[in-house]
Amino acid sequence: MRLTRLLCGSALALVSAVPSMAEMLDVEKDELKFGFIKLTDMAPLAIAYEKGFFEDEGLFVTLEPQANWKVLLDRVIDGQLDGAHMLAGQPLAATIGYGTEAHIVTPFSMDLNGNGITVSNAVWEEMKKNIAQEDGKPVHPISAAALKPVVQGYKAQGKSFNMGMVFPVSTHNYELRYWLAAGGLNPGFYTPDNTSGQIDADVLLSVTPPPQMPSTMEAGTIDGYCVGEPWNQQAVFKGIGVPVITDYEIWKNNPEKVFGLTDAFVQENPNTAVALTKALIRAAMWLDADDNANRAEAVEILSRSEYVGADAEVIAASMTGTFEYEKGDVREVPDFNVFFRHNATYPYYSDAIWYLTQMRRWGQIAEAKPDTWYAETAASVYLPDIYLQAAESLIDDGLAERDDFPFGTDGYKPATAEFIDGVEYDGHSPNAYLERFEIGLKGEEKVGG
């Protein structure tokens, strides 16, 4: 808790500088261990810890970095971790039984945007020939149509074109696939018997852990990748690659990570779930407060070895409202990392459904599903009721305003066409959405038929 010192005669009195708190929730479990991957968007966890927001809710939290997304998920499922920073697709995939099967839920969306697609210097030199220039700089957003002739050139030489993404159900996989398909390149399909995701692919996608992306590309194993920060900016700083597009340009204000827990944990510890959500909301508010005024301090915290462990300069390159594409091409991208504004933390059903549509589009969901299935699955994983309980409690505490939250929503964002290809998405009609794509499964289609 922040304190101010007031001089009273010859004595110093300590007075709280925050509003008096409402009665603290009676949490069922007060000692918690949360996992994360070393990425910028784990920031709400680091800030909730460093600023004492967890302790304000009577929670004594340990934060522990994990080796990869699979290990992280497995440790949440078996109870070694009470919860974790997760890929948005992980709770959904686990709940429907794709890969590991377990009922994972989320009451809190951790951020919007924050990813980019980077290619090697050699690929960039070829891509530039297909990109319009304005004032000596490439015109953005850059379509994968500029990459298509490069991929065709590789094929003509009998070479595969390889790109990395962080996990089969990651936002990065779906964003990279979306970008490639929008530019006329098939990123490949999955089947129950072939989980490589490379069936009929023009571009071969494979899993690479985020911190290893730059070195793997430098070694020539992959020709590009989609990842969160700071690993796109790291390629620029090392002089080994060029980020060609951000996910903000692929889908404006797209949902990114979530905070995942087992359904059993939430059922057994409902007050604890509300309390930790309160702390995470406060952290998100702090990160976006006063037009990102706290971001410099956040960068210093995240650069520490116990969190992201990358150079502060590299983290700041995107965290403070700018993004560097080609070396020296720094552009203003104030919403590259969003943690609270635009209702970033609310767990919208429509966000969950978009990820499910992409699982269906690329064959991870092998059979056609009715629209009702998408809605029911989203409602079993995303928990806005817990989020709104946390919001009400923060308002009662005097730490937030009612206007800060989307009370009264049905859990679906308005239909939007703010995608790189202009295709409109309405979460109420997932099957109609899938019908709009030239590349990808739709209707009753299966891979190979």
Side-chain angles (χ1 to χ4, degrees):
M1 183 174 289
R2 293 176 291 115
L3 300 173
T4 55
R5 291 177 180 270
L6 298 181
L7 187 63
C8 299
S10 59
L12 284 174
L14 293 177
V15 182
S16 173
V18 298
S20 59
M21 304 287 281
E23 186 175 348
M24 189 179 293
L25 288 164
D26 183 14
V27 297
E28 301 84 3
K29 185 174 185 179
D30 60 2
E31 293 187 15
L32 303 166
K33 182 185 290 186
F34 297 149
F36 67 92
I37 298 293
K38 292 194 167 191
L39 292 163
T40 301
D41 56 24
M42 64 76 60
L45 284 168
I47 298 306
Y49 179 86
E50 293 291 336
K51 294 296 174 182
F53 300 154
F54 286 128
E55 288 190 9
D56 286 349
E57 302 302 327
L59 303 175
F60 303 95
V61 169
T62 301
L63 300 179
E64 184 178 287
Q66 305 298 301
N68 57 55
W69 293 112
K70 184 180 186 308
V71 168
L72 176 145
L73 178 62
D74 289 345
R75 296 190 74 207
V76 170
I77 291 169
D78 68 19
Q80 293 182 62
L81 296 172
D82 296 295
H85 165 230
M86 283 188 185
L87 300 160
Q90 283 188 294
L92 294 161
T95 296
I96 66 173
Y98 183 79
T100 304
E101 186 169 2
H103 192 180
I104 306 296
V105 297
T106 178
F108 180 82
S109 180
M110 292 191 70
D111 62 320
L112 304 177
N113 313 316
N115 295 333
I117 296 173
T118 292
V119 298
S120 69
N121 290 334
V123 171
W124 174 241
E125 288 305 312
E126 293 301 312
M127 282 185 70
K128 282 174 72 174
K129 299 172 185 176
N130 311 312
I131 301 169
Q133 301 276 317
E134 188 175 286
D135 298 328
K137 292 184 177 181
V139 175
H140 283 255
I142 293 173
S143 167
L147 179 63
K148 190 172 182 178
V150 184
V151 172
Q152 290 170 335
Y154 272 57
K155 279 189 175 181
Q157 299 173 54
K159 297 194 301 183
S160 62
F161 192 91
N162 305 302
M163 297 190 78
M165 47 78 183
V166 309
F167 203 66
V169 296
S170 68
T171 49
H172 320 78
N173 186 22
Y174 304 127
E175 289 163 359
L176 180 52
R177 287 170 173 274
Y178 198 100
W179 181 69
L180 290 169
L185 290 165
N186 190 332
F189 295 97
Y190 297 83
T191 67
D193 298 323
N194 185 339
T195 57
S196 70
Q198 297 180 353
I199 299 170
D200 296 333
D202 295 320
V203 176
L204 302 183
L205 308 186
S206 60
V207 171
T208 304
Q212 296 174 25
M213 291 285 192
S215 59
T216 304
M217 186 175 70
E218 188 175 18
T221 307
I222 54 176
D223 303 295
Y225 55 75
C226 182
V227 75
E229 284 308 308
W231 310 115
N232 296 288
Q233 292 300 290
Q234 186 80 292
V236 179
F237 276 74
K238 293 180 72 174
I240 61 170
V242 175
V244 294
I245 192 167
T246 67
D247 59 343
Y248 181 83
E249 298 166 292
I250 296 170
W251 175 15
K252 183 179 178 181
N253 290 329
N254 64 90
E256 194 17 52
K257 303 296 190 306
V258 297
F259 187 78
L261 308 135
T262 63
D263 181 64
F265 179 93
V266 174
Q267 297 296 330
E268 293 165 10
N269 306 284
N271 288 345
T272 306
V274 173
L276 69 87
T277 303
K278 284 182 66 179
L280 290 173
I281 292 172
R282 285 185 69 191
M285 294 176 72
W286 183 91
L287 281 159
D288 278 9
D290 303 321
D291 294 323
N292 296 349
N294 295 323
R295 292 295 180 90
E297 183 180 350
V299 165
E300 186 279 319
I301 291 170
L302 292 172
S303 69
R304 297 174 193 169
S305 60
E306 62 265 36
Y307 297 124
V308 180
D311 290 345
E313 184 182 11
V314 176
I315 297 173
S318 62
M319 187 76 165
T320 54
T322 62
F323 192 83
E324 188 167 14
Y325 294 89
E326 191 172 13
K327 190 71 175 175
D329 184 1
V330 179
R331 306 192 187 203
E332 295 292 322
V333 189
D335 279 350
F336 180 79
N337 282 123
V338 173
F339 293 98
F340 187 72
R341 57 185 176 273
H342 312 315
N343 295 319
T345 53
Y346 185 88
Y348 282 98
Y349 298 140
S350 51
D351 290 347
I353 290 170
W354 187 85
Y355 285 107
L356 292 169
T357 66
Q358 301 311 292
M359 292 178 192
R360 171 61 187 141
R361 184 181 181 186
W362 305 117
Q364 290 173 330
I365 297 172
E367 306 282 344
K369 303 288 186 183
D371 286 353
T372 52
W373 178 88
Y374 287 89
E376 289 164 1
T377 302
S380 74
V381 175
Y382 278 42
L383 306 179
D385 287 352
I386 288 178
Y387 179 92
L388 292 177
Q389 285 181 56
E392 289 279 13
S393 187
L394 287 170
I395 293 165
D396 291 344
D397 290 343
L399 296 170
E401 302 291 333
R402 183 161 290 272
D403 289 346
D404 292 333
F405 306 100
F407 288 102
T409 178
D410 66 352
Y412 288 77
K413 293 177 181 175
T416 179
E418 291 186 312
F419 291 82
I420 191 168
D421 54 5
V423 173
E424 184 177 83
Y425 169 61
D426 181 349
H428 292 101
S429 305
N431 281 295
Y433 176 60
L434 287 167
E435 290 285 348
R436 298 188 175 106
F437 297 108
E438 289 186 22
I439 301 175
L441 299 178
K442 55 186 73 68
E444 298 294 330
E445 290 178 351
K446 296 182 180 180
V447 177

